[in-house]
């Protein structure tokens, strides 16, 4: 079983070929970040148009690199949502057309399902069931993963996503969009304890998050200060510590509450080094294990969509033709 995967939900055009037996055969990605940077964020119409330009050459490249002629492909998986509707429609239209032309199924994949399965691309993949922390630019969720397609949301952010909080605070610090990774780099040179930010929602029971207050706290901390000096790095450090500490403590509580022994981290913020270190300590304490995708598969990529498509196709779990694209789509409601 071999699947071509296509990701186009936001500002990355990404394509991959995944084989049930041989694993990941190839993956290609084109990032639009440079194009959107001038506007300080993603411009949806520009994103859609660029996906149109990039998709076909990337598919050709990925198929060639995988030495996979079209006859070897059993299905075409694409991100069906959630995401920017125009961007999603480019991938959905392309995959559906390819599926019809090749007489192979087009498989609509939930973007977050792709993210939470991404650690299964690694040499030592986790078995089901597991607890997943999804931390991306648009989502922050703790998910009880019983099996493929069986997802229960245990907690989520009430306002900003963790990645969004990183990006907004990075902007306050004068870093270019998207600033999450750059803020983390800046924080390396910052001193711990110079600024102590609130740890939102830790004083309450439950597994929900709230990150919107942190950027305000950063704004207050920076008010009237020189943005060039050590202070900037110290604020970055304080902010990062607050987010990491909050995420780690909620993961600890969720592991205790569910009794899961496996924790999966997925989504762009999963690339954060301090978060990885902190979670490694949490699971050690609980005699559990943590699984991360390699850094390049934390952020959006085609490999996770090809993998999810292959798993669904192998299990006969397709959402059906006419799946199309959905800007909003709850992970807990996707079904099998
Ligand atoms: O999963 P992703 O690629 O896109 C969405 O589906 O949203 O996540 C992107 C997010 C951005 O907010 C970015 O700033 C953040 O992940 N990010 C990081 C790091 N690398 C990427 N945040 C903190 N530390 C990092 N090293
Ligand atoms: Zn994503």
């Amino acid at each position: 079983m071999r699947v071509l995967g296509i990701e186009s939900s936001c500002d990355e055009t990404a394509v991959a070929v995944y084989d049930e037996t041989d694993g990941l055969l190839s993956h290609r990605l084109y990032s639009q970040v440079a194009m959107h940077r001038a506007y300080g964020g993603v411009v949806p119409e520009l994103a859609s148009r660029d996906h149109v330009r990039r998709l076909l050459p990337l598919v050709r490249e990925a198929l060639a690199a995988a030495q996979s002629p079209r006859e070897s492909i059993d299905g075409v998986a694409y991100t069906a949502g959630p995401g920017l509707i125009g961007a999603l429609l480019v991938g959905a239209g392309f995959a559906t057309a390819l599926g019809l032309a090749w007489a192979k199924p087009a498989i609509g994949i939930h973007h977050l399902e792709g993210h939470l399965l991404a650690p299964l691309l690694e040499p030592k993949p986790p078995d089901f069931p597991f607890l997943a922390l999804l931390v991306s630019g648009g989502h922050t969720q703790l998910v009880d993963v019983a099996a493929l397609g069986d997802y229960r949301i245990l907690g989520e952010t009430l306002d900003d996503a963790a990645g969004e909080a990183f990006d907004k605070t990075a902007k306050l610090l004068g870093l270019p969009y998207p600033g999450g990774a750059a803020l983390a780099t800046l924080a390396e040179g910052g001193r711990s304890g110079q600024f102590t930010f609130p740890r939102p929602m830790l004083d309450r029971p439950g597994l929900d998050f709230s990150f919107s207050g942190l950027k305000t706290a950063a704004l207050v901390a920076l008010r009237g200060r020189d943005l060039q000096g050590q202070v900037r790095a110290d604020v970055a450090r304080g902010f990062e510590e607050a987010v990491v500490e909050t995420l780690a403590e909620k993961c600890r509580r969720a592991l205790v509450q569910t009794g899961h022994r496996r924790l999966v981290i997925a989504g762009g913020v999963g690339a954060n080094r301090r978060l990885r270190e902190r979670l490694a300590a949490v699971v050690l304490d609980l005699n559990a294990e943590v699984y991360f995708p390699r850094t390049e598969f934390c952020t959006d990529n085609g490999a996770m969509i090809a993998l999810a498509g292959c798993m669904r196709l192998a299990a006969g779990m397709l959402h059906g033709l006419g799946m199309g694209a959905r800007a909003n789509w709850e992970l807990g409601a996707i079904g099998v």
Side-chain angles (χ1 to χ4, degrees), residues 7 9-12 111-112 115 135-139 162-167 177-185 240 266-273 295 298-301 304:
E7 156 64 33
S9 65
C10 190
D11 57 351
E12 260 105 26
H111 182 75
L112 297 180
H115 272 305
V135 268
S136 70
H139 293 84
E164 193 180 353
F166 263 96
D167 293 340
Y177 176 86
L183 188 154
T185 306
E240 184 183 51
V269 184
N272 186 275
R273 192 184 60 79
T295 313
C298 281
T299 43
D300 291 348
N301 64 87
M304 66 185 194

Side-chain angles (χ1 to χ4, degrees), residues 131 244-256 260-261 263 265 274-290 292:
L131 173 75
V244 166
E245 205 42 56
T246 305
L247 292 172
E249 174 56 19
K250 293 280 173 165
C251 282
R252 194 191 64 76
R253 289 183 194 174
L255 284 169
V256 170
H260 278 307
R261 283 281 160 269
L263 172 66
I265 310 301
R274 208 175 296 281
L275 178 66
R276 288 175 171 242
E277 285 174 6
R278 190 67 194 84
L279 289 172
V282 166
V283 295
L284 195 67
D285 230 29
L286 294 172
N287 201 18
E289 280 186 272
V290 65
F292 302 98

Side-chain angles (χ1 to χ4, degrees), residues 8-179:
S8 71
S9 65
C10 190
D11 57 351
E12 260 105 26
T13 321
V15 175
V17 179
Y18 185 88
D19 184 276
E20 197 182 6
T21 314
D22 300 330
L24 186 63
L25 299 182
S26 69
H27 61 102
R28 292 287 183 276
L29 182 141
Y30 179 84
S31 171
Q32 303 177 354
V33 159
M35 180 179 75
H36 296 295
R37 190 159 276 160
Y39 307 96
V42 178
V43 183
E45 182 59 24
L46 293 181
S48 314
R49 291 175 189 213
D50 209 53
H51 287 308
V52 172
R53 270 193 292 271
R54 309 288 170 193
L55 206 43
L56 187 55
L58 283 179
V59 165
R60 287 208 172 103
E61 266 185 46
L63 288 174
Q67 298 184 321
S68 291
R70 59 154 86 169
E71 305 78 52
S72 66
I73 301 293
D74 299 301
V76 184
Y78 64 96
T79 302
L84 302 172
I85 192 63
L88 290 166
L89 280 168
V90 175
F94 187 96
T96 307
L98 212 52
L100 286 171
W102 292 356
K104 295 288 155 60
I107 311 156
I109 297 295
H110 194 293
H111 182 75
L112 297 180
E113 176 174 65
H115 272 305
L116 66 82
L117 296 177
L120 275 69
L121 291 161
E122 301 306 321
K124 273 172 67 185
D127 290 325
F128 293 115
F130 54 76
L131 173 75
L133 172 69
L134 279 170
V135 268
S136 70
H139 293 84
T140 302
Q141 295 182 329
L142 275 162
V143 189
D144 191 334
V145 179
L148 179 67
D150 189 350
Y151 311 126
R152 195 164 57 92
I153 311 295
L154 301 172
E156 59 191 330
T157 185
L158 304 177
D159 39 58
D160 289 355
E164 193 180 353
F166 263 96
D167 293 340
K168 286 178 176 171
T169 305
K171 200 170 189 172
L172 293 175
L173 291 166
L175 298 167
Y177 176 86

